[in-house]
C-alpha cells in the first residue's frame, strides 16, 4: 500500500509520498497509484487550481481499487481525514463542467470527503459505464450551480 499526496504547494516530486513532494494535480497522483490498496490524499484547503477551477471538462482516470480522500496536512506524511465541505472542491465554482471518475472494468474506487462543484448545467458522472466498475462514496458533497 502506498499513499500519494496532492496539494497546490507540493513540489510535484515523485513518488509524492510527503506533503512537501505532493503532486500538483489529482490526475498525477492517480496515475502513480497502481496497487489495489493505494490511497490518494488531497489537501482539502490546498486543492490545485487546475482541479479546483478546471478550465474544461475533467476525466480523472483511476487505477484498480484506489481510495481518494480529503484531509488536512499534518506535516511530513501524516494527515487527518477532513471533508472539503462547501469551502473547497474539485470542478469549477462558476462555469459548467463535466466531472468524470473513470475506473476501468472491475475496478473499485472509494471517494471520501470530496466536494464536486460545477455550474448550473454541469454534469457529475462518477463512472464511465465500464463493466463491473464500482464507485463508493462516503461523506461527499455534490454541488451543481
Amino acid at each position: 500500500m502506498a499513499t500519494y499526496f496532492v496539494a497546490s504547494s507540493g513540489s510535484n516530486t515523485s513518488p509524492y509520498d510527503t506533503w512537501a513532494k505532493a503532486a500538483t494535480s489529482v490526475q498525477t497522483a492517480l496515475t502513480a497509484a497502481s496497487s489495489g490498496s493505494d490511497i490518494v490524499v488531497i489537501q482539502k484547503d490546498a486543492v490545485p487550481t487546475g482541479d479546483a477551477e478546471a478550465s474544461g471538462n475533467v476525466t480523472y482516470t483511476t487505477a484498480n481499487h484506489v481510495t481518494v480522500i480529503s484531509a488536512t496536512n499534518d506535516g511530513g506524511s501524516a494527515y487527518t481525514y477532513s471533508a472539503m465541505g462547501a469551502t473547497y472542491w474539485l470542478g469549477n465554482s462558476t462555469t459548467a463542467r463535466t466531472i468524470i471518475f473513470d475506473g476501468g472494468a472491475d475496478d473499485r474506487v472509494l471517494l471520501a470527503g470530496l466536494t464536486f462543484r460545477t455550474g448550473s448545467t454541469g454534469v457529475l458522472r462518477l463512472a464511465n459505464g465500464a463493466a463491473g466498475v464500482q464507485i463508493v462514496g462516503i461523506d461527499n458533497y455534490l454541488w451543481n450551480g
Side-chain angles (χ1 to χ4, degrees), residues 1-59:
M1 177 178 90
T3 301
Y4 300 92
F5 293 92
V6 177
S8 59
S9 59
S11 67
N12 204 39
T13 305
S14 181
Y16 321 111
D17 57 351
T18 66
W19 288 113
K21 295 192 286 185
T24 54
S25 80
V26 173
Q27 186 57 60
T28 297
L30 288 171
T31 300
S34 60
S35 169
S37 58
D38 286 350
I39 300 171
V40 172
V41 181
I42 303 169
Q43 185 175 337
K44 75 175 234 173
D45 59 352
V47 178
T49 302
D51 296 302
E53 294 298 333
S55 60
N57 296 334
V58 180
T59 298

Side-chain angles (χ1 to χ4, degrees), residues 66-69 81 101 108-116 124 126 134-142:
V66 67
T67 298
V68 183
I69 68 170
Y81 169 79
F101 264 85
R108 288 183 283 287
V109 180
L110 172 63
L111 305 173
L114 305 177
T115 296
F116 301 98
L124 172 61
L126 292 180
Q134 298 174 8
I135 305 286
V136 177
I138 300 170
D139 199 23
N140 294 306
Y141 187 65
L142 310 177

